[in-house]
């Protein structure tokens, strides 16, 4: 590589680290949007655990913030903690957006209940019929649970 050039992503990593250095002192009191920014930058730099911890602290301050719960649940799934993700998502299930419903279903499936995963997605699809992904994923979980007829 010629002098003065960097590997791809090198500059982006530097920008993320600089942003984290500026924002992390505010983490304990940060509003949801700043907590999400800190968490996403941490995750992009490979610190999924740190991202999850940042959001868990923010959820303590803002327990009804859906975006915090959804993102934190996603990190918990990435960390192999579907039970912890489920605890965040179950209270949101009645009004879950498609993304949250898919994560909730994934958590249930990873805990071994593919039929409950399929039912989660079926209920979400009734609320969001425009989301074909919900129907497709529901069908896959029904087949995995042994309910191939229900997949139709």
């Amino acid at each position: 590589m010629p002098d003065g050039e960097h590997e791809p992503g090198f500059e982006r990593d530097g920008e993320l680290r600089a942003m984290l250095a500026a924002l992390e002192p505010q983490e304990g009191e940060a509003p949801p949007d700043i907590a999400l920014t800190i968490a996403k930058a941490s995750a992009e730099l490979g610190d999924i655990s740190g991202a999850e911890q940042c959001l868990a602290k923010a959820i303590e301050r803002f327990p009804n913030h859906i975006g915090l719960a959804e993102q934190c649940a996603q990190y918990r799934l990435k960390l192999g903690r579907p039970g912890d993700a489920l605890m965040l998502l179950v209270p949101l299930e009645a009004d879950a957006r498609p993304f949250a419903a898919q994560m909730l279903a994934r958590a249930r499936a990873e805990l071994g209940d593919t039929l409950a995963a399929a039912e989660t997605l079926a209920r979400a699809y009734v609320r969001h019929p425009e989301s074909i992904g919900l129907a497709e994923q529901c069908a896959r979980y029904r087949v995995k649970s042994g309910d191939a007829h229900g997949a139709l």
Side-chain angles (χ1 to χ4, degrees):
M1 188 170 293
D3 288 338
E5 288 188 26
H6 303 288
E7 293 182 35
F10 178 79
E11 288 180 27
R12 175 76 177 146
D13 285 359
E15 292 169 6
L16 289 172
R17 290 183 199 291
M19 181 177 57
L20 283 175
L23 293 177
E24 281 181 331
Q26 304 173 44
E27 183 178 337
E29 300 171 4
D33 59 330
I34 299 297
L36 285 164
T37 299
I38 292 169
K40 288 178 182 178
S42 295
E44 196 170 326
L45 289 168
D47 186 8
I48 303 296
S49 181
E52 184 275 333
Q53 290 171 13
C54 172
L55 294 180
K57 291 175 190 171
I59 288 169
E60 289 176 10
R61 295 187 312 279
F62 304 97
N64 298 319
H65 194 282
I66 292 171
L68 291 172
E70 287 177 345
Q71 193 64 48
C72 188
Q74 183 177 26
Y75 293 141
R76 287 178 178 182
L77 287 170
K78 286 182 180 185
L79 291 167
R81 297 171 37 204
D84 292 335
L86 198 62
M87 287 176 27
L88 282 175
L89 295 169
V90 166
L92 307 176
E93 185 170 9
D95 299 315
R97 299 182 289 196
F99 178 66
Q102 289 173 320
M103 285 191 300
L104 182 56
R106 177 179 162 193
R108 287 181 167 143
E110 287 183 13
L111 289 168
D113 196 346
T114 54
L115 186 55
E119 291 168 354
T120 296
L121 294 168
R123 287 189 299 273
Y125 184 64
V126 169
R127 290 187 312 274
H128 303 281
E130 74 285 355
S131 182
I132 297 301
L134 291 172
E136 291 171 344
Q137 192 174 3
C138 177
R140 282 194 292 277
Y141 283 134
R142 287 206 185 277
V143 168
K144 285 182 182 180
S145 72
D147 183 17
H149 180 66
L152 299 177

